[in-house]
Every structure is written in structure tokens, then in C-alpha cells.
């Protein structure tokens, strides 16, 4: 029998890892002090954080919310935290929030933009969360509740509130019972929102809606034997005849017979984030279809169409937005018939739409290029015509690939709405803030208004980019 | 069996223009052409009518008239007696100056931030994420205005730097002093030391643009040094491939690169001129407007955030296997980065990087927020308002911006083709 006395017959109990290899010490060693270089980086980072905190924290802690001027703010801060102490003066925001949000929109009508924003989000719910009842009900319910609270704070008439509550409750119920029905709201929202914001006779948007209805009717009736392109053209011709020649007389007649309407608001009363949202949302909504068409045109076999699209896209992408905005205000008047004078906000929206459509077209072209040729050939093999292939096979895949680019174009567009200040509109950043800072009571204030405006922009843009990440995840079908 | 080519030849009917795919595209193109021509004709007609109504014509003669306004930042000489055309060129040079400096520094900031965002250092990675997200999601105009306002409203007036005789007598120091005794930031602008030559070479004028021969000589010397240095390195490489031993070249390179330039500068009497307070403002050195500083800093930080994301994406796009393969071959981490990762990542990074440069160049037009006199400020601003020639000024301005953009993007295409994966 061999002598094996030194062989252990039972396992030793596990020992705890050494102190440097566990818990907070391990984490610190690995994440902050793994090498001399990293240690230096960490120390620099800590110094940066320390200096920022040292400057910003007392300033934030000494915030003043109730004051009527910057001087009063400073006196309050000095009284509470000692002389020469710094403190944020949010009282400015408290006093002027309505200008930042609504510009010079009449104060008693604030419920209209608020309701328009609420309805916008509700009408977006079925698009953003298509087929997801729970998410869409959560969104609609939250938005409806918030809108109602905001309306209750703005308008104290109980009958109005009951009407609003019933309407918003009805929408929430619809989102629960039949989420896809909400798409009806999405379709009519552009005109509804327009009417809520600008007011005036209800028959004008109805007239425009009838034009679109005519377009769709003609398209559906003639599509089967004229083809998509020609049928769309025919629809546009009929609708244009209605809009240009017939609509005015019909709507005036209806207005005379049954006057229905709200107080009309002119565009120069729009301002602040209301203006940024109106321009941003309209341009985002309208630029996507135009961008898709431009991208398809750029890929087209038809030489003329291709040249036109390439020329347009390259031209627009080659000039700064500000020159495009100047074109809207200075040159458009030359290109239109004499004495035409249409709304400056509308002009800006149209040109901003075309501007971002060109960028979108390039993004979507990237998505189209990423698609294997086999997809097109498969569509041909199935006997689909061009538009069917685009709608059913090409676009769903190409758009999915280009989601990050599309959303970052949208974010850029929303940020660029601040540039309308340079053509005399009241954007929240330059327009409103300059007016506010010019007030003698608030002269010398700068951090607070810019932080407020920047924070709202950040929230919206960051939200958009997070949503695009969510959408990418949701639509991901590859198994990697 | 019949093939498509053997299909019976039908006689042409008018309806085939719509129903036959062979002819439909021509129909559509002709229709589009007609509509386009009609639209252009309508617009031209309107423009002619509108111009006639306002008593204007299209005429570029104003470019040779006296401008009559001052531009405070000028790279080539300009007075208010110069022409509108020259003012436009000054503006264009200001645009290009800010775009050039901006592109260089935005790349540096972006690469550092992008690499650090991937760092294993938790704190630094988080800080860089905060930087990138904050700058990407807030409008550029806000940064420009905020930086400008902070500069003009928080920095002291020039008179606070003044040291009067009474203060010397009382042994007092001035309220403010210059940073490192060289840089003075006041609420009017910044003054930084400027390079000066005691014995400069003469300046010659070519087509009213003065060209300093000193600068030309300096550039020639530097270019020559770089060329010689290349020869030295090439020779070293040849020897290495022949014998396997690389000769020591670092001291030769240093000597060739720096000695001639330093010798030339010393011969011309190079020194720095420091700003000095004289009367109510600083003189000497280079005066930098706050509008320039604000626009430049904002552009660098804003574009840097976008570049950081591009760099990060480019590095992440290279699969981990490449690093591992390089390690398996025995390459050290530094050489792995230089020889394996970066060449591949650059192919992903460069095209979007150039398009960021393009964006930066176009965004210099936002100098309007702080009244920076760039191309938009001169040609599309003061000149347009003074002469009332919106049409001509806008056309010229758009044309120039378009030319710059097309130039940059054609350079990008050349580069793209040169680094494209060569598939054979």
C-alpha cells in the first residue's frame, strides 16, 4: 500500500478573495485606478466635477423663486446666504414662463395651444406605439390627465372643464377599446391642430379637408386603370381645382349660413416654444414623405427625374439653413405673383420642410443602398409593380435601417427652429430671451433663461433619440 | 415556347404611352419637363414683374462701389473706402478662418472625447457621455449666445487693468491682471500676444492682395524640411529592409525639421508682442473679438460632440477579433492600435467626419447671432441692406457656400475612393 498520508481527503473551505479583489476596493481598482494613466484621468475628472459642483451647487441651493427683479433676487440671496453669495434667480422664469412658452399668444386663449399639444401627443400614440395597446393607453392616459390639469389651471369655467374631461376621457377609452381607431384622430389632427392654434372660421379647414377627400376619392376611383402616378396626378388636379376655384365660394357660403368659429390669431402673435413646436412638428411630419419621394427619385431610371432630385438635394445640402430662411423672407416675394402676401410662418415652414427633406433623402438613400439587390428581384419575381414593391418590400426594410439617421435629422430640424429668430420670428431662444433680458428689471441675467430654454430643448431632443433606440430594438428582426 | 424578344410586334397606339411600361417613363418625363418649364417660366415672369414694379434690375455693379462700413476682423487690408466686393472677400476669409480652426480643434476634442467615452475609467467615461449628450441635444445657437454673453457680461472692463500713478504711489495693484501676463480678456474682446518680426522681408502685392514674403519664406522652409525629413525616413526604411537594422534617425529628423525654421525666424528677428493697456483699451498683440471666440468655442464643442460619437462608432465597428488576432501575432497594444485598428476604423470614421466638417463650415453662418462679420455678415448682411440688392447678394452668397460644400464633398469622394476596400 503506498504511503499517501499527505493527501487530503476533504475539500478545504473556500476562502474569501483578498481584500483588493472584492467589493468596493476591487471596483475602484478596476474602474478608476487600473493604471497610472487611468489614475491621472480619474484625478482630473474628480477635479472637474469638484469645480463644477463648487460653482453650481451654492448657486442652485440659493435659488430664489419669488422676486420681481434681479436686484431683489440678489438682495434676498445676500440676506439669506451672506453678502457676495451667488444664487439662481428662477423668479424670472416664474414671471415670464408664458412668454417663453406662448410668445404673445392672447393669455385667455392659452387653453388652445395646450389642448393642441395634448391632442398632438394623443394622435401620435397610435403611430409611436403601433399595436402596443398597453404602452399606447399609458401614453394617452398620462397625456390626457396632464392636459386636463393644465387646462384646469388655465381655465376655471367648470362647464368647459367637463367638456374637456369628457373628450379626453373618451380618447383614453378609445385607446383602450380600439387603439387603431385613434388613427382617425391622427389623420384629422393636422387640420384640427391648425384650427385650434390659428382659430378663425371652422369652414376653412373643412374646405381644405374636402379637397383632400376629393384627392383620395379620385385616386381610388382611377388607380386601377390609370396607374399610381397618373391617378395621383389626376387627384391633385381635381383637388387643386377645388382649392383654388371652388373652395372660397363654398366656405363663404357655409360661413354665411352657419357661422362657426373661434377668435382668429395672427402668426406674429405666435412665439416661444409654441412657435418652435408648430414649425418643428409640421416640418417633421411633412418632410418624411417628401424625403422618401426624393430618395426614390434619386434612384430612378428616368434621367430627368434623377437629375432634378440630385440637383435639388445637393443644392439644399450645400447651403446653410440661414440662407434658406432669408430666401423665405426676402426672395420668395419676388418669385410669387405681385401682391401675393402669405404668412411668414407658413413660408418658413415650407422652406424648412424642403430643407430637411433633402437631408432625409440622403439618409433614406443610405438605407436603400444597404438593401440587397435580391430583395428587389424577389419583388419583381412576385409580380409586384414598382409602388407595391416599394410599399411592401423595399421601404419597410430601408426605413428600418435608416431610423437612427432619420431621427437625428428630426432632432437637428427641431434644434434649427431656433434660427427663425433671424428672420424676425419670436423663437424661445433668441427672440423671447432677448426681449426678457432687455427688461430693465432683469437686465444682467443670463444663466437662468438659457438654462430653462436649453433644458426644454434637451428634454425633447433626448426623448426623441431614446425613442429611436427603443424603436430600433423593437423592429430588430435579425438573430445575432 | 416563345421568348419575350419574339413577342409579336404590335403597332403603336396612343394608349400605350400610359399603359406600356416601355413608353410610360417617357410620358412621365415629358410631363415633368413641361410642368417644370411652366413653373420656371411662371417664376421668371413673376420675378421680372416684381423687379419692374419695385424699379430694380439684376446688376452686380455694386460689387465695385465703395462699401463705407468697417470690418473689425480682417485678414487682408480693408478700409471703409474699399469696395463691396472686397468686403465680401474679407467676409469669406473670416468664414474660412473660423471653419479651418474649428475643424482642427473639433477633431481633437471629438477624438479625445470619443476615445475617453470608451475608456474603462468609469468616471471619465460618464463625464464624456454627459458632455456629448448635453451638446448634441441643445441648439448650437444657444451655446454661441451663452458663451458670448458670459464673455461680454462677466469679464472686467479694460480700465480695471490700468495701473495709474496714484496706485503706484499708494502701492496698490490694479483690480485685474492679465493671464500669465500675456492674455487680457476684457468685456470688449481678448488680446493675445502676436508674432512680430524686427527685420521682415518686403511685402509684395498681387492683384491688390498683399503677400508677405516673410510668411512665404517660412512656409517654403518648413515644406523643404518636411520633404528632406521624408527622404531621411525613406532611406532609413530602405536600409532596414536591406540589412534588418534601422539606423537611428530621430536626431536627424529633429534637426532637419526645426533648425532651418528657427534659424530663419531668428534671422528675421522674431519675437512676441504682448498686449499693453494704453488709455482706455489694450493695444499690441492680436485683438480677438468675443464674437469670434464665442462662435469658435461653441462650434468646436458642438461639433466635437458629434465627432466623438462618430469616433466611438468607428472604433466599436471593428470587431474584437481583430484586436485578438493582432495580440496573437505578438503586436503590442500601441502597435495594434496603429497598424490594425485605426486603419480600419478610419475607413468608417472619415466620411461622416468630413460631413461634420461640412456642417461646421455651414454653421459658421450662425455668427449672425453674435454679429460676426463673416460672408453672411458682410455680403448677406450689411452690403445687402445698404445696396438693397437682395436677389444678387443672396445668389452670390448661396453660390459661394455651395461651391465650398461641393469642393469639400468632392475631396471626400476622392478620399473615399482611395481607401475603399479593393475587391478583386
Amino acid at each position: 500500500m503506498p504511503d499517501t498520508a499527505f493527501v487530503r481527503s476533504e475539500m478545504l473551505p473556500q476562502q474569501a478573495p483578498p481584500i483588493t479583489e472584492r467589493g468596493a476596493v476591487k471596483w475602484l481598482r478596476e474602474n478608476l485606478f487600473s493604471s497610472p494613466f487611468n489614475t491621472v484621468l480619474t484625478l482630473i475628472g474628480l477635479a472637474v466635477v469638484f469645480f463644477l459642483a463648487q460653482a453650481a451647487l451654492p448657486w442652485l441651493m440659493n435659488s430664489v423663486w419669488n422676486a420681481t427683479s434681479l436686484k431683489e433676487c440678489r438682495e434676498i440671496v445676500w440676506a439669506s446666504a451672506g453678502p457676495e453669495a451667488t444664487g439662481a434667480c428662477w423668479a424670472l422664469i416664474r414671471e415670464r414662463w408664458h412668454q417663453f412658452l406662448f410668445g404673445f399668444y392672447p393669455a385667455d386663449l392659452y387653453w388652445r395651444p395646450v389642448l393642441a399639444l395634448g391632442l398632438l401627443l394623443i394622435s401620435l400614440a397610435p403611430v409611436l406605439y403601433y399595436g402596443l395597446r398597453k404602452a399606447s393607453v399609458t401614453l394617452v392616459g398620462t397625456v390626457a390627465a396632464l392636459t386636463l390639469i393644465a387646462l384646469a389651471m388655465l381655465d376655471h369655467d367648470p362647464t368647459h372643464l367637463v367638456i374637456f374631461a369628457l373628450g379626453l376621457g373618451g380618447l383614453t377609452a378609445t385607446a383602450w377599446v380600439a387603439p387603431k381607431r385613434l388613427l382617425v384622430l391622427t389623420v384629422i389632427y393636422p387640420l384640427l391642430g391648425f384650427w385650434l392654434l390659428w382659430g378663425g372660421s371652422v369652414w376653412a379647414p373643412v374646405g381644405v379637408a374636402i379637397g383632400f377627400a376629393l384627392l383620395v376619392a379620385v385616386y381610388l376611383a382611377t388607380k386601377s386603370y390609370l396607374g399610381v402616378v397618373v391617378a395621383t396626378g389626376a387627384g391633385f388636379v381635381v383637388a387643386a381645382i377645388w382649392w383654388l376655384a371652388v373652395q372660397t365660394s363654398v366656405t363663404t357660403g357655409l360661413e354665411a349660413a352657419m357661422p362657426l368659429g373661434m377668435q382668429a390669431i395672427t402668426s406674429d402673435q405666435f412665439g416661444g416654444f409654441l412657435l418652435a413646436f408648430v414649425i418643428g412638428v409640421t416640418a417633421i411630419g411633412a418632410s418624411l414623405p417628401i424625403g422618401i419621394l426624393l430618395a426614390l427619385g434619386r434612384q430612378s431610371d428616368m434621367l430627368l427625374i434623377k437629375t432634378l432630385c440630385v440637383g435639388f438635394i445637393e443644392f439644399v445640402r450645400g447651403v446653410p439653413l440661414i440662407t434658406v430662411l432669408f430666401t423665405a423672407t426676402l426672395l420668395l416675394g419676388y418669385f410669387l405673383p405681385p401682391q401675393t402676401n402669405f404668412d411668414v410662418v407658413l413660408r418658413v415652414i415650407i422652406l424648412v420642410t424642403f430643407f430637411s427633406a433633402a437631408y432625409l433623402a440622403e439618409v433614406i438613400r443610405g438605407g436603400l443602398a444597404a438593401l440587397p439587390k435580391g430583395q428587389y428581384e424577389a419583388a419583381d419575381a412576385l409580380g409586384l409593380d414598382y409602388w407595391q414593391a416599394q410599399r411592401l418590400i423595399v421601404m419597410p426594410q430601408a426605413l428600418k435601417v435608416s431610423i437612427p439617421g432619420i431621427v437625428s435629422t428630426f432632432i437637428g430640424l427641431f434644434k434649427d427652429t431656433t434660427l427663425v429668430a433671424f428672420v424676425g420670428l419670436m423663437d424661445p431662444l433668441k427672440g423671447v430671451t432677448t426681449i426678457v433680458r432687455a427688461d430693465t428689471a432683469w437686465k444682467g441675467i443670463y444663466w437662468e433663461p438659457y438654462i430653462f430654454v436649453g433644458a426644454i430643448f434637451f428634454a425633447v431632443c433626448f426623448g426623441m433619440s431614446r425613442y429611436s433606440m427603443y424603436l430600433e430594438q423593437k423592429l430588430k428582426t435579425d438573430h445575432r | 415556347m416563345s421568348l419575350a424578344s419574339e413577342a409579336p410586334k404590335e403597332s403603336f397606339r396612343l394608349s400605350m404611352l400610359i399603359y406600356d411600361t416601355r413608353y410610360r417613363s417617357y410620358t412621365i418625363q415629358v410631363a415633368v419637363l413641361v410642368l417644370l418649364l411652366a413653373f420656371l417660366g411662371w417664376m421668371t415672369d413673376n420675378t421680372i414683374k416684381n423687379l419692374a414694379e419695385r424699379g430694380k434690375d439684376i446688376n452686380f455693379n455694386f460689387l465695385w462701389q465703395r462699401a463705407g462700413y468697417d470690418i473689425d476682423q480682417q485678414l487682408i487690408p480693408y478700409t471703409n473706402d474699399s469696395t463691396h466686393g472686397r468686403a465680401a472677400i474679407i467676409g469669406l476669409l473670416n468664414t474660412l478662418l473660423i471653419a479651418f480652426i474649428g475643424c482642427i480643434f473639433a477633431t481633437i476634442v471629438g477624438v479625445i472625447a470619443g476615445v475617453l467615452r470608451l475608456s474603462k475609467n468609469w468616471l471619465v467615461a460618464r463625464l464624456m457621455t454627459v458632455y456629448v449628450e448635453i451638446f448634441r441635444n441643445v441648439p448650437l445657437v444657444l451655446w454661441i449666445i451663452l458663451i458670448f454673453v458670459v464673455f461680454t457680461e462677466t469679464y472686467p472692463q479694460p480700465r480695471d487693468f490700468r495701473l495709474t500713478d496714484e496706485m503706484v504711489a499708494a502701492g496698490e495693484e490694479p483690480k485685474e491682471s492679465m493671464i500669465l501676463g500675456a492674455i487680457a480678456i476684457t468685456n470688449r474682446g481678448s488680446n493675445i500676444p502676436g508674432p512680430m518680426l524686427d527685420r521682415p522681408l518686403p511685402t509684395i502685392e498681387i492683384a491688390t492682395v498683399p503677400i508677405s514674403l516673410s510668411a512665404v519664406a517660412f512656409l517654403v522652409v518648413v515644406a523643404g524640411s518636411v520633404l528632406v525629413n521624408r527622404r531621411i525616413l525613406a532611406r532609413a526604411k530602405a536600409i532596414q529592409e536591406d540589412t534588418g537594422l534601422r539606423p537611428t534617425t530621430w536626431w536627424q529628423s529633429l534637426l532637419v525639421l526645426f533648425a532651418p525654421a528657427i534659424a530663419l525666424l531668428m534671422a528675421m528677428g522674431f519675437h512676441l508682442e504682448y498686449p499693453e493697456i494704453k488709455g482706455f483699451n489694450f493695444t499690441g498683440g492680436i485683438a480677438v473679438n468675443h464674437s469670434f471666440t464665442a462662435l469658435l468655442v461653441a462650434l468646436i464643442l458642438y461639433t466635437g460632440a458629434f465627432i466623438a460619437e462618430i469616433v466611438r462608432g468607428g472604433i466599436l465597428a471593428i470587431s474584437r477579433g481583430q484586436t485578438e488576432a493582432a495580440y496573437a501575432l505578438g503586436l503590442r497594444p500601441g502597435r495594434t492600435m496603429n497598424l490594425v485598428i485605426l486603419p480600419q476604423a478610419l475607413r468608417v470614421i472619415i466620411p461622416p467626419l468630413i460631413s461634420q466638417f461640412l456642417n461646421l463650415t455651414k454653421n459658421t453662418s450662425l455668427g449672425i447671432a453674435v454679429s460676426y462679420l463673416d460672408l453672411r455678415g458682410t455680403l448677406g448682411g450689411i452690403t445687402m441692406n445698404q445696396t438693397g440688392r437682395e436677389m444678387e447678394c443672396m445668389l452670390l452668397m448661396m453660390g459661394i457656400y455651395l461651391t465650398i460644400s461641393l469642393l469639400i464633398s468632392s475631396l471626400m469622394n476622392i478620399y473615399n475612393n482611395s481607401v475603399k476596400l479593393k475587391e478583386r
Side-chain angles (χ1 to χ4, degrees), chain B residues 156-351:
Chain B
Q157 297 181 333
R159 66 153 184 251
D160 291 340
F161 289 82
R162 210 157 41 160
L163 185 65
T164 53
D165 292 340
E166 297 93 69
M167 288 164 80
V168 175
E172 284 172 10
E173 291 285 306
K175 262 205 273 179
E176 304 286 339
S177 57
M178 292 192 270
I179 303 166
L180 302 174
I183 301 169
I185 306 178
T186 68
N187 60 354
R188 295 194 198 165
S190 314
N191 289 68
I192 57 172
M196 288 296 279
L197 298 174
D198 284 337
R199 301 175 287 278
L201 297 176
T203 301
I204 52 165
E205 237 178 59
I206 298 174
T208 75
V209 179
I211 291 173
S212 150
L213 282 183
S214 324
V216 174
F218 183 72
L219 288 180
V220 167
V221 167
V222 168
S225 308
V226 170
L227 279 182
V228 174
N229 183 45
R230 269 202 191 172
R231 288 288 297 276
I232 293 176
L233 291 182
R235 220 183 111 241
K237 198 176 176 196
I239 294 177
Q240 185 182 17
E241 294 194 342
D242 256 10
T243 62
L245 292 173
R246 193 179 174 86
T248 324
T249 56
W250 61 267
W251 59 271
Q252 291 173 337
S253 290
L254 273 186
L255 204 66
V256 166
L257 280 180
F258 292 102
I262 293 174
L264 177 74
L265 285 179
M266 279 172 71
M268 292 194 294
F270 175 84
H271 65 273
L272 285 178
E273 187 191 43
Y274 292 98
E276 255 181 278
I277 182 127
K278 283 229 177 93
F280 292 102
N281 214 340
F282 278 90
T283 54
I286 300 174
V288 186
N289 287 323
H290 281 328
S291 54
F292 176 84
T293 322
L295 184 58
L296 183 66
V297 173
L299 280 173
I300 289 172
L301 292 178
Y302 183 81
T303 316
F306 284 87
I307 294 179
E309 279 302 272
I310 293 170
V311 170
R312 189 174 78 106
I315 295 178
L316 284 180
I318 307 306
S319 77
R320 180 110 187 91
Q322 297 285 328
T323 320
E324 287 165 356
Y327 287 164
L329 286 175
L331 295 180
R332 279 169 284 135
R335 306 215 74 177
T336 306
M337 197 59 167
N338 282 336
L339 298 175
V340 179
I341 307 293
L342 272 187
Q344 299 185 69
L346 276 184
R347 191 176 288 131
V348 186
I349 291 173
I350 296 281

Side-chain angles (χ1 to χ4, degrees), chain A residues 13-70:
Chain A
Q14 257 187 13
Q15 282 196 330
I19 183 95
T20 53
E21 284 299 320
R22 65 187 141 115
V25 178
K26 175 178 169 170
W27 187 88
L28 282 176
R29 266 173 66 100
E30 278 187 358
N31 291 301
L32 295 179
F33 304 103
S34 61
S35 66
F37 178 66
N38 255 337
T39 311
V40 172
L41 277 185
T42 306
L43 292 180
I44 296 176
L46 281 176
V48 169
V49 172
F50 175 74
F51 282 117
L52 284 181
Q54 197 193 27
L57 274 184
W59 186 75
L60 283 174
M61 303 290 268
N62 296 335
S63 293
V64 176
W65 287 91
N66 277 311
T68 51
S69 73
L70 186 60

Side-chain angles (χ1 to χ4, degrees), chain A residues 170-320:
Chain A
L171 288 174
T172 318
T174 320
W176 178 249
V177 180
K180 288 180 187 164
R181 286 288 161 77
L182 271 187
L183 282 171
V184 176
L185 178 68
T186 315
V187 171
I188 60 168
Y189 181 79
L191 291 169
L192 179 66
F194 170 82
W195 183 62
L196 267 177
L197 291 175
W198 270 273
S201 161
V202 76
W203 298 113
V206 168
V208 176
I210 293 175
F212 279 111
L214 282 175
L215 199 168
V216 174
V218 170
Y219 170 77
L220 289 179
T222 56
K223 186 182 78 167
S224 52
Y225 52 93
L226 280 183
V228 174
V229 175
V230 183
T232 317
F236 264 113
V237 170
V238 174
I241 292 173
W242 163 265
W243 283 325
L244 295 175
V246 190
Q247 189 198 339
T248 328
S249 45
V250 174
T251 48
T252 349
L254 280 170
E255 175 66 21
M258 192 170 33
L260 265 181
M262 292 191 292
Q263 185 186 336
I265 309 291
T266 52
S267 290
D268 52 1
Q269 288 169 294
F270 280 60
F273 278 100
L274 170 61
L275 184 68
F277 272 94
V278 166
I279 297 176
V281 171
T282 323
I284 283 175
S287 63
L288 187 58
I290 301 178
I292 294 177
L293 287 182
L294 280 173
L296 288 179
R298 197 172 178 160
Q299 301 242 313
S300 163
D301 298 330
M302 294 182 246
L303 185 66
L304 180 69
I305 309 264
K306 187 175 174 171
T307 320
L308 279 179
C309 289
V310 171
F312 178 80
I313 292 171
E314 291 303 328
F315 173 73
V316 170
R317 280 163 43 90
V319 297

